[in-house]
Amino acid sequence: MDKTIKLRVRKEIGNGDELKVLKLKGALIAKKYTEIIHIADENEDFYLNSFSTSPENKKEAEHFVLDYISNHNLKDTITLISTKN
């Protein structure tokens, strides 16, 4: 069964950070962690981005996201939401 990874993304961000967020999503697809990323409104300040990945890739995908957030100074823009699955 696939595992879901969720990201909380701030709605109001600058163009530079928006480009970094788009590159993260593209990298997740290019690295074959997922084929599609779902985007929904969480509230007036944040989007909820979610994608499914195989159980074998879940930890690797989470580490990739956390490294990307750290390396691109996006800690105030993107948050990895812990999931129990």
Side-chain angles (χ1 to χ4, degrees):
M1 174 183 255
D2 285 349
K3 301 296 181 181
T4 300
I5 295 176
K6 296 179 182 178
L7 305 172
R8 179 176 288 126
V9 180
R10 184 171 300 286
K11 286 184 177 181
E12 298 294 325
I13 58 177
N15 289 340
D17 283 349
E18 186 173 349
L19 183 59
K20 291 175 188 177
V21 171
L22 289 172
K23 286 183 177 183
L24 169 60
K25 293 176 186 181
L28 289 168
I29 293 169
K31 291 182 172 291
K32 301 199 184 292
Y33 291 129
T34 189
E35 292 181 3
I36 189 166
I37 298 173
H38 304 278
I39 303 169
D41 281 330
E42 183 179 38
N43 56 39
E44 64 185 45
D45 296 321
F46 295 97
Y47 294 112
L48 188 60
N49 291 221
S50 61
F51 64 94
S52 295
T53 192
S54 68
E56 299 82 30
N57 287 336
K58 184 172 189 277
K59 287 290 181 198
E60 184 179 336
E62 289 175 336
H63 286 290
F64 176 79
V65 168
L66 291 172
D67 287 345
Y68 189 94
I69 290 169
S70 177
N71 293 337
H72 293 87
N73 197 26
L74 292 171
K75 63 181 176 64
D76 294 330
T77 305
I78 303 173
T79 305
L80 177 66
I81 300 173
S82 298
T83 56
K84 295 190 181 210
N85 59 356

Coordinates of all heavy atoms in Angstrom, one line a residue:
M1 N 0.8 -1.2 0.0 CA 0.0 0.0 0.0 C 0.9 1.2 0.0 O 1.9 1.3 0.7 CB -0.9 0.0 1.2 CG -1.7 1.2 1.4 SD -2.7 1.2 2.9 CE -4.3 0.9 2.2
D2 N 0.5 2.2 -0.8 CA 1.3 3.5 -0.9 C 1.2 4.3 0.4 O 0.2 4.2 1.1 CB 0.8 4.3 -2.1 CG 1.2 3.8 -3.4 OD1 2.1 2.9 -3.4 OD2 0.7 4.3 -4.4
K3 N 2.2 5.1 0.7 CA 2.2 5.9 1.8 C 2.1 7.4 1.4 O 2.6 7.8 0.4 CB 3.6 5.7 2.6 CG 3.8 4.3 3.0 CD 2.8 3.9 4.1 CE 3.1 2.5 4.5 NZ 2.1 2.0 5.5
T4 N 1.4 8.2 2.2 CA 1.1 9.5 1.8 C 2.1 10.5 2.6 O 2.3 10.3 3.8 CB -0.3 9.9 2.1 OG1 -1.2 9.1 1.4 CG2 -0.6 11.4 1.8
I5 N 2.6 11.4 1.9 CA 3.5 12.4 2.5 C 2.8 13.8 2.3 O 2.3 14.1 1.2 CB 4.9 12.4 1.8 CG1 5.6 11.1 2.1 CG2 5.7 13.6 2.3 CD1 6.9 10.9 1.4
K6 N 2.7 14.6 3.3 CA 2.0 15.9 3.3 C 3.0 17.0 3.6 O 3.8 16.9 4.5 CB 0.9 15.9 4.3 CG -0.2 14.9 3.9 CD -1.3 14.9 5.0 CE -2.3 13.9 4.7 NZ -3.4 13.8 5.7
L7 N 2.8 18.1 2.8 CA 3.6 19.3 3.0 C 2.7 20.5 3.2 O 1.7 20.6 2.4 CB 4.5 19.6 1.7 CG 5.4 18.4 1.3 CD1 6.0 18.8 -0.1 CD2 6.5 18.2 2.3
R8 N 3.0 21.3 4.1 CA 2.2 22.5 4.4 C 3.0 23.7 3.7 O 4.2 23.8 4.1 CB 2.0 22.8 5.8 CG 1.3 24.1 6.1 CD 1.0 24.3 7.6 NE 0.0 23.3 8.0 CZ 0.2 22.4 9.0 NH1 1.3 22.4 9.7 NH2 -0.8 21.6 9.3
V9 N 2.4 24.4 2.7 CA 3.1 25.4 2.0 C 2.4 26.7 2.2 O 1.2 26.8 2.0 CB 3.2 25.0 0.5 CG1 3.9 26.1 -0.3 CG2 3.8 23.7 0.3
R10 N 3.2 27.7 2.6 CA 2.7 29.1 2.8 C 2.2 29.6 1.5 O 2.8 29.5 0.4 CB 3.8 30.0 3.4 CG 3.3 31.4 3.7 CD 4.3 32.1 4.5 NE 4.7 31.5 5.8 CZ 4.0 31.5 6.9 NH1 2.8 32.1 6.8 NH2 4.4 31.0 8.0
K11 N 1.0 30.3 1.5 CA 0.4 30.8 0.3 C 1.1 32.1 -0.1 O 1.4 32.3 -1.3 CB -1.1 31.1 0.5 CG -1.9 29.9 0.6 CD -3.4 30.3 0.7 CE -4.3 29.1 0.6 NZ -5.7 29.4 0.7
E12 N 1.4 33.0 0.8 CA 2.0 34.3 0.4 C 3.5 34.2 0.5 O 4.1 34.3 1.6 CB 1.5 35.4 1.4 CG 0.0 35.6 1.3 CD -0.5 36.2 0.0 OE1 0.2 37.0 -0.6 OE2 -1.6 35.8 -0.4
I13 N 4.1 34.0 -0.7 CA 5.6 33.9 -0.7 C 6.1 34.7 -1.9 O 5.3 35.0 -2.8 CB 6.1 32.4 -0.8 CG1 5.5 31.7 -2.0 CG2 5.7 31.7 0.5 CD1 6.0 30.3 -2.2
G14 N 7.3 35.0 -1.9 CA 7.9 35.8 -3.0 C 8.2 34.9 -4.2 O 8.1 33.7 -4.1
N15 N 8.5 35.5 -5.3 CA 8.7 34.8 -6.5 C 9.9 33.8 -6.4 O 9.8 32.7 -7.0 CB 9.0 35.8 -7.7 CG 7.7 36.6 -8.1 OD1 6.6 36.1 -7.8 ND2 7.9 37.7 -8.7
G16 N 11.0 34.2 -5.7 CA 12.1 33.3 -5.6 C 11.8 32.1 -4.8 O 12.1 31.0 -5.3
D17 N 11.0 32.2 -3.8 CA 10.6 31.0 -3.0 C 9.6 30.2 -3.8 O 9.6 29.0 -3.7 CB 10.0 31.4 -1.6 CG 11.1 31.8 -0.6 OD1 12.3 31.5 -0.9 OD2 10.8 32.3 0.4
E18 N 8.7 30.9 -4.5 CA 7.7 30.1 -5.3 C 8.4 29.3 -6.4 O 8.1 28.1 -6.6 CB 6.8 31.1 -6.0 CG 5.7 30.4 -6.8 CD 4.6 31.4 -7.3 OE1 4.7 32.6 -7.0 OE2 3.8 31.0 -8.1
L19 N 9.5 29.8 -7.0 CA 10.3 29.0 -7.9 C 10.9 27.8 -7.2 O 10.9 26.7 -7.8 CB 11.3 29.9 -8.6 CG 12.1 29.2 -9.7 CD1 11.3 28.7 -10.8 CD2 13.2 30.2 -10.2
K20 N 11.4 28.0 -6.0 CA 12.1 26.9 -5.3 C 11.0 25.8 -5.0 O 11.4 24.6 -5.0 CB 12.7 27.4 -4.0 CG 13.9 28.3 -4.2 CD 14.4 28.9 -2.9 CE 15.5 29.9 -3.1 NZ 15.9 30.5 -1.8
V21 N 9.8 26.2 -4.6 CA 8.8 25.2 -4.3 C 8.4 24.4 -5.5 O 8.3 23.2 -5.5 CB 7.5 25.9 -3.7 CG1 6.3 25.0 -3.6 CG2 7.8 26.6 -2.4
L22 N 8.3 25.1 -6.7 CA 8.0 24.4 -7.9 C 9.1 23.4 -8.3 O 8.9 22.3 -8.8 CB 7.8 25.4 -9.1 CG 6.5 26.2 -9.0 CD1 6.5 27.3 -10.1 CD2 5.3 25.3 -9.1
K23 N 10.4 23.9 -8.1 CA 11.5 23.0 -8.4 C 11.5 21.7 -7.4 O 11.8 20.6 -7.9 CB 12.8 23.7 -8.2 CG 13.1 24.7 -9.4 CD 14.4 25.3 -9.3 CE 14.7 26.2 -10.5 NZ 16.0 26.8 -10.5
L24 N 11.1 21.9 -6.2 CA 11.0 20.8 -5.3 C 9.9 19.8 -5.8 O 10.2 18.6 -5.9 CB 10.6 21.2 -3.9 CG 10.2 20.1 -2.9 CD1 11.3 19.1 -2.7 CD2 9.7 20.7 -1.6
K25 N 8.8 20.3 -6.2 CA 7.7 19.4 -6.7 C 8.2 18.7 -8.0 O 8.0 17.5 -8.2 CB 6.5 20.2 -7.0 CG 5.8 20.7 -5.7 CD 4.6 21.6 -6.1 CE 4.1 22.3 -4.9 NZ 2.9 23.1 -5.2
G26 N 8.9 19.4 -8.9 CA 9.4 18.8 -10.1 C 10.5 17.7 -9.8 O 10.5 16.7 -10.4
A27 N 11.3 18.0 -8.8 CA 12.3 17.0 -8.4 C 11.7 15.8 -7.8 O 12.2 14.7 -8.0 CB 13.3 17.7 -7.4
L28 N 10.6 15.9 -7.0 CA 9.9 14.8 -6.4 C 9.4 13.9 -7.6 O 9.5 12.6 -7.5 CB 8.8 15.2 -5.5 CG 9.2 15.8 -4.2 CD1 8.0 16.5 -3.5 CD2 9.9 14.8 -3.3
I29 N 8.9 14.5 -8.6 CA 8.4 13.7 -9.7 C 9.5 13.1 -10.6 O 9.5 11.9 -10.9 CB 7.5 14.6 -10.6 CG1 6.2 14.9 -9.8 CG2 7.1 13.9 -11.9 CD1 5.3 16.0 -10.4
A30 N 10.6 13.9 -10.8 CA 11.7 13.5 -11.6 C 12.4 12.3 -10.9 O 12.9 11.4 -11.6 CB 12.7 14.6 -11.8
K31 N 12.5 12.3 -9.6 CA 13.2 11.2 -8.9 C 12.2 10.0 -8.7 O 12.6 9.1 -8.0 CB 13.6 11.7 -7.5 CG 14.8 12.7 -7.6 CD 15.3 13.1 -6.2 CE 16.5 14.0 -6.3 NZ 17.7 13.2 -6.7
K32 N 11.1 10.1 -9.3 CA 10.1 9.0 -9.3 C 9.6 8.7 -7.9 O 9.2 7.5 -7.6 CB 10.6 7.8 -10.0 CG 11.0 8.1 -11.4 CD 11.1 6.9 -12.3 CE 11.5 7.2 -13.7 NZ 10.6 7.9 -14.5
Y33 N 9.5 9.7 -7.0 CA 8.9 9.4 -5.7 C 7.4 9.4 -5.8 O 6.7 8.8 -5.0 CB 9.3 10.5 -4.7 CG 10.8 10.5 -4.2 CD1 11.6 11.6 -4.3 CD2 11.3 9.3 -3.8 CE1 12.9 11.6 -3.9 CE2 12.6 9.2 -3.4 CZ 13.4 10.4 -3.4 OH 14.7 10.3 -3.1
T34 N 6.9 10.1 -6.9 CA 5.5 10.2 -7.1 C 5.3 10.6 -8.6 O 6.2 11.0 -9.3 CB 4.8 11.2 -6.2 OG1 3.4 11.1 -6.3 CG2 5.2 12.6 -6.5
E35 N 4.0 10.5 -9.0 CA 3.7 10.9 -10.4 C 2.8 12.2 -10.4 O 2.8 12.9 -11.3 CB 2.9 9.8 -11.1 CG 3.8 8.6 -11.4 CD 3.0 7.5 -12.2 OE1 1.9 7.7 -12.5 OE2 3.7 6.5 -12.4
I36 N 2.2 12.4 -9.2 CA 1.3 13.6 -9.1 C 1.3 14.1 -7.7 O 1.4 13.3 -6.7 CB -0.2 13.2 -9.6 CG1 -1.0 14.5 -9.7 CG2 -0.8 12.2 -8.6 CD1 -2.3 14.3 -10.4
I37 N 1.2 15.4 -7.6 CA 1.1 16.1 -6.3 C -0.2 16.8 -6.2 O -0.6 17.6 -7.1 CB 2.3 17.1 -6.1 CG1 3.6 16.3 -6.1 CG2 2.1 17.8 -4.8 CD1 4.9 17.1 -6.1
H38 N -1.0 16.5 -5.2 CA -2.3 17.1 -5.0 C -2.2 18.3 -4.1 O -1.4 18.4 -3.2 CB -3.2 16.1 -4.3 CG -3.4 14.8 -5.0 ND1 -4.2 14.6 -6.1 CD2 -2.7 13.6 -4.8 CE1 -4.1 13.4 -6.5 NE2 -3.2 12.7 -5.8
I39 N -2.9 19.4 -4.5 CA -2.9 20.6 -3.8 C -4.3 21.0 -3.4 O -5.2 21.0 -4.2 CB -2.3 21.8 -4.7 CG1 -0.9 21.4 -5.2 CG2 -2.2 23.1 -4.0 CD1 -0.4 22.3 -6.3
A40 N -4.4 21.4 -2.1 CA -5.7 21.8 -1.5 C -5.5 22.9 -0.6 O -4.4 23.1 0.0 CB -6.3 20.6 -0.8
D41 N -6.5 23.8 -0.4 CA -6.4 24.8 0.5 C -6.5 24.2 1.9 O -7.4 23.4 2.2 CB -7.6 25.8 0.4 CG -7.4 26.8 -0.8 OD1 -6.2 27.1 -1.0 OD2 -8.3 27.2 -1.4
E42 N -5.6 24.5 2.8 CA -5.7 24.1 4.2 C -6.5 25.2 5.0 O -7.4 24.8 5.8 CB -4.4 23.9 4.8 CG -4.5 23.3 6.2 CD -3.1 23.1 6.9 OE1 -2.2 23.8 6.6 OE2 -3.0 22.1 7.6
N43 N -6.1 26.4 4.8 CA -6.8 27.5 5.4 C -6.4 28.8 4.6 O -5.8 28.7 3.5 CB -6.4 27.6 6.9 CG -4.9 27.7 7.2 OD1 -4.2 28.4 6.4 ND2 -4.5 27.1 8.2
E44 N -6.6 30.0 5.2 CA -6.3 31.2 4.4 C -4.8 31.5 4.3 O -4.4 32.3 3.4 CB -7.1 32.4 5.0 CG -6.6 32.8 6.4 CD -7.4 33.9 7.0 OE1 -8.7 33.8 6.8 OE2 -6.8 34.8 7.5
D45 N -4.0 30.8 5.0 CA -2.6 31.0 5.0 C -1.7 29.9 4.3 O -0.6 30.2 3.9 CB -2.0 31.2 6.4 CG -2.6 32.5 7.1 OD1 -2.8 33.5 6.4 OD2 -2.9 32.4 8.3
F46 N -2.3 28.7 4.2 CA -1.5 27.6 3.8 C -2.2 26.7 2.8 O -3.4 26.6 2.8 CB -1.0 26.7 4.9 CG -0.1 27.4 5.9 CD1 -0.6 28.0 7.0 CD2 1.3 27.4 5.6 CE1 0.3 28.6 7.9 CE2 2.1 28.1 6.5 CZ 1.6 28.7 7.7
Y47 N -1.4 26.1 1.9 CA -1.9 25.0 1.0 C -1.4 23.7 1.6 O -0.4 23.7 2.3 CB -1.2 25.1 -0.4 CG -1.6 26.3 -1.2 CD1 -0.7 27.3 -1.5 CD2 -2.9 26.4 -1.7 CE1 -1.1 28.4 -2.3 CE2 -3.3 27.5 -2.5 CZ -2.3 28.5 -2.8 OH -2.7 29.6 -3.5
L48 N -2.1 22.7 1.4 CA -1.7 21.3 1.8 C -1.4 20.6 0.5 O -2.3 20.4 -0.3 CB -2.8 20.6 2.6 CG -2.4 19.3 3.2 CD1 -1.3 19.5 4.2 CD2 -3.6 18.7 3.9
N49 N -0.1 20.2 0.3 CA 0.3 19.5 -0.8 C 0.5 18.0 -0.3 O 1.2 17.8 0.7 CB 1.7 20.0 -1.4 CG 1.5 21.4 -2.0 OD1 2.1 21.6 -3.0 ND2 0.8 22.3 -1.4
S50 N 0.0 17.1 -1.1 CA 0.2 15.7 -0.7 C 0.5 14.8 -1.9 O 0.1 15.1 -3.0 CB -1.0 15.2 0.1 OG -2.2 15.2 -0.8
F51 N 1.3 13.8 -1.6 CA 1.5 12.8 -2.7 C 1.7 11.4 -2.1 O 2.1 11.3 -0.9 CB 2.7 13.2 -3.5 CG 4.0 13.3 -2.8 CD1 4.9 12.2 -2.8 CD2 4.4 14.4 -2.1 CE1 6.1 12.3 -2.1 CE2 5.6 14.5 -1.5 CZ 6.5 13.4 -1.5
S52 N 1.5 10.4 -2.9 CA 1.6 9.0 -2.4 C 2.9 8.5 -3.0 O 3.3 8.8 -4.1 CB 0.5 8.2 -2.9 OG -0.7 8.6 -2.3
T53 N 3.6 7.7 -2.2 CA 4.8 7.1 -2.7 C 4.8 5.6 -2.1 O 4.1 5.3 -1.2 CB 6.1 7.8 -2.2 OG1 7.2 7.4 -2.9 CG2 6.3 7.8 -0.7
S54 N 5.7 4.8 -2.7 CA 5.8 3.4 -2.2 C 6.3 3.4 -0.8 O 7.1 4.3 -0.4 CB 6.6 2.6 -3.2 OG 7.9 3.0 -3.1
P55 N 6.0 2.3 0.0 CA 6.5 2.2 1.3 C 8.1 2.2 1.3 O 8.7 2.8 2.2 CB 6.0 0.9 1.8 CG 4.8 0.7 1.0 CD 5.0 1.3 -0.3
E56 N 8.7 1.7 0.3 CA 10.1 1.6 0.2 C 10.8 3.0 0.0 O 11.9 3.2 0.4 CB 10.6 0.7 -1.0 CG 10.1 -0.7 -0.9 CD 8.7 -1.0 -1.4 OE1 8.2 -0.2 -2.2 OE2 8.0 -1.9 -0.8
N57 N 10.0 3.9 -0.6 CA 10.5 5.2 -0.9 C 10.2 6.3 0.2 O 10.7 7.4 0.1 CB 10.1 5.7 -2.2 CG 10.7 5.0 -3.4 OD1 11.8 4.5 -3.2 ND2 10.1 4.9 -4.5
K58 N 9.3 6.0 1.1 CA 8.7 7.0 2.0 C 9.8 7.7 2.8 O 9.9 8.9 2.8 CB 7.7 6.4 3.0 CG 7.1 7.4 3.8 CD 5.9 6.9 4.6 CE 5.1 8.0 5.3 NZ 5.7 8.4 6.6
K59 N 10.7 7.0 3.5 CA 11.7 7.6 4.3 C 12.7 8.4 3.4 O 13.1 9.5 3.8 CB 12.5 6.6 5.1 CG 11.7 6.0 6.3 CD 11.5 7.1 7.3 CE 10.8 6.5 8.5 NZ 10.2 7.6 9.3
E60 N 13.1 7.8 2.3 CA 14.0 8.5 1.4 C 13.4 9.8 0.9 O 14.0 10.9 0.8 CB 14.3 7.6 0.2 CG 15.4 8.2 -0.7 CD 15.7 7.2 -1.9 OE1 15.5 6.0 -1.7 OE2 16.1 7.8 -2.9
A61 N 12.1 9.8 0.5 CA 11.4 11.0 0.0 C 11.3 12.0 1.1 O 11.5 13.2 0.9 CB 10.0 10.6 -0.5
E62 N 11.0 11.6 2.3 CA 11.0 12.6 3.5 C 12.3 13.2 3.7 O 12.4 14.4 3.9 CB 10.5 11.9 4.7 CG 9.0 11.5 4.7 CD 8.6 10.7 5.9 OE1 9.4 10.0 6.6 OE2 7.4 10.7 6.2
H63 N 13.4 12.4 3.7 CA 14.7 13.0 3.9 C 15.1 13.9 2.7 O 15.7 15.0 3.0 CB 15.8 11.9 3.9 CG 15.7 11.1 5.2 ND1 16.1 11.7 6.4 CD2 15.3 9.8 5.5 CE1 15.9 10.8 7.4 NE2 15.5 9.7 6.9
F64 N 14.7 13.6 1.5 CA 14.9 14.5 0.4 C 14.2 15.8 0.6 O 14.8 16.9 0.4 CB 14.5 13.8 -0.9 CG 14.6 14.8 -2.1 CD1 15.8 14.9 -2.7 CD2 13.5 15.5 -2.6 CE1 16.0 15.8 -3.8 CE2 13.6 16.3 -3.7 CZ 14.9 16.5 -4.3
V65 N 13.0 15.8 1.0 CA 12.2 17.0 1.2 C 12.9 17.8 2.4 O 13.0 19.1 2.2 CB 10.7 16.7 1.6 CG1 10.0 17.9 2.1 CG2 10.0 16.1 0.4
L66 N 13.2 17.2 3.4 CA 13.8 17.9 4.6 C 15.2 18.6 4.2 O 15.5 19.7 4.5 CB 14.0 17.0 5.8 CG 12.7 16.6 6.5 CD1 13.0 15.5 7.5 CD2 12.0 17.8 7.1
D67 N 16.0 17.8 3.4 CA 17.2 18.4 2.9 C 17.0 19.5 2.0 O 17.7 20.5 2.1 CB 18.1 17.3 2.2 CG 18.7 16.3 3.2 OD1 18.7 16.5 4.4 OD2 19.1 15.2 2.7
Y68 N 16.0 19.4 1.1 CA 15.7 20.5 0.2 C 15.3 21.7 0.9 O 15.8 22.8 0.6 CB 14.6 20.0 -0.8 CG 14.4 21.0 -2.0 CD1 15.1 20.8 -3.2 CD2 13.6 22.1 -1.8 CE1 14.9 21.7 -4.2 CE2 13.4 23.0 -2.9 CZ 14.1 22.8 -4.1 OH 13.9 23.7 -5.1
I69 N 14.4 21.6 1.9 CA 14.0 22.7 2.7 C 15.1 23.4 3.4 O 15.3 24.6 3.3 CB 12.9 22.3 3.7 CG1 11.6 21.9 3.0 CG2 12.7 23.4 4.8 CD1 10.6 21.1 4.0
S70 N 16.0 22.6 3.9 CA 17.2 23.2 4.6 C 18.2 23.8 3.7 O 18.6 25.0 3.9 CB 17.9 22.1 5.4 OG 19.0 22.5 6.0
N71 N 18.5 23.2 2.6 CA 19.5 23.7 1.6 C 19.0 24.9 0.8 O 19.8 25.7 0.3 CB 19.8 22.6 0.6 CG 20.6 21.5 1.3 OD1 21.2 21.6 2.3 ND2 20.6 20.3 0.6
H72 N 17.7 25.1 0.8 CA 17.1 26.2 0.0 C 16.5 27.3 0.9 O 15.7 28.1 0.4 CB 16.2 25.7 -1.1 CG 16.8 24.9 -2.1 ND1 17.1 23.6 -2.0 CD2 17.4 25.3 -3.3 CE1 17.7 23.2 -3.1 NE2 17.9 24.2 -3.9
N73 N 16.7 27.2 2.2 CA 16.2 28.2 3.2 C 14.7 28.4 3.0 O 14.2 29.5 2.9 CB 17.0 29.5 3.0 CG 16.8 30.4 4.2 OD1 16.6 30.0 5.3 ND2 16.9 31.7 3.9
L74 N 14.0 27.3 3.1 CA 12.5 27.3 3.0 C 11.8 26.9 4.2 O 10.6 26.6 4.2 CB 12.1 26.4 1.8 CG 12.5 26.8 0.4 CD1 12.2 25.7 -0.6 CD2 11.8 28.1 0.0
K75 N 12.5 26.9 5.4 CA 11.9 26.5 6.6 C 10.7 27.3 7.0 O 9.8 26.8 7.7 CB 12.9 26.4 7.8 CG 13.5 27.7 8.2 CD 14.5 27.5 9.3 CE 15.2 28.8 9.6 NZ 14.4 29.8 10.2
D76 N 10.6 28.5 6.6 CA 9.4 29.4 6.9 C 8.3 29.2 5.8 O 7.3 29.8 6.0 CB 9.8 30.8 7.0 CG 10.7 31.1 8.2 OD1 10.6 30.3 9.2 OD2 11.6 32.0 8.2
T77 N 8.6 28.5 4.8 CA 7.7 28.4 3.6 C 7.1 27.0 3.6 O 5.9 26.9 3.3 CB 8.5 28.7 2.3 OG1 9.1 29.9 2.4 CG2 7.5 28.6 1.1
I78 N 7.8 25.9 3.8 CA 7.3 24.6 3.7 C 7.6 23.8 5.0 O 8.7 23.9 5.6 CB 8.1 23.8 2.6 CG1 7.9 24.5 1.2 CG2 7.5 22.4 2.4 CD1 8.8 23.9 0.1
T79 N 6.6 23.0 5.4 CA 6.7 22.2 6.6 C 6.3 20.8 6.2 O 5.2 20.6 5.6 CB 5.8 22.6 7.7 OG1 6.1 24.0 8.0 CG2 6.0 21.8 9.0
L80 N 7.1 19.8 6.5 CA 6.8 18.4 6.3 C 5.9 18.0 7.5 O 6.3 18.2 8.6 CB 8.0 17.5 6.3 CG 7.8 16.0 6.1 CD1 7.2 15.7 4.8 CD2 9.1 15.3 6.3
I81 N 4.7 17.5 7.1 CA 3.7 17.1 8.2 C 3.9 15.6 8.5 O 3.8 14.8 7.6 CB 2.3 17.4 7.8 CG1 2.1 18.9 7.5 CG2 1.3 16.9 8.8 CD1 0.8 19.3 6.9
S82 N 4.2 15.3 9.7 CA 4.4 13.9 10.1 C 3.1 13.1 9.9 O 2.0 13.6 10.2 CB 4.8 13.8 11.5 OG 6.0 14.4 11.7
T83 N 3.3 12.0 9.3 CA 2.1 11.1 9.1 C 2.5 9.7 9.8 O 3.6 9.4 9.9 CB 1.8 10.8 7.6 OG1 3.0 10.3 7.0 CG2 1.4 12.1 7.0
K84 N 1.4 9.0 10.2 CA 1.7 7.8 10.9 C 1.7 6.6 10.0 O 2.0 5.5 10.5 CB 0.6 7.6 12.0 CG 0.7 8.7 13.1 CD -0.2 8.4 14.2 CE -0.1 9.5 15.2 NZ -0.3 9.2 16.5
N85 N 1.4 6.8 8.7 CA 1.4 5.6 7.8 C 2.7 5.3 7.3 O 3.6 6.1 7.3 CB 0.3 5.8 6.7 CG 0.5 7.0 5.9 OD1 1.4 7.8 6.1 ND2 -0.3 7.1 4.9

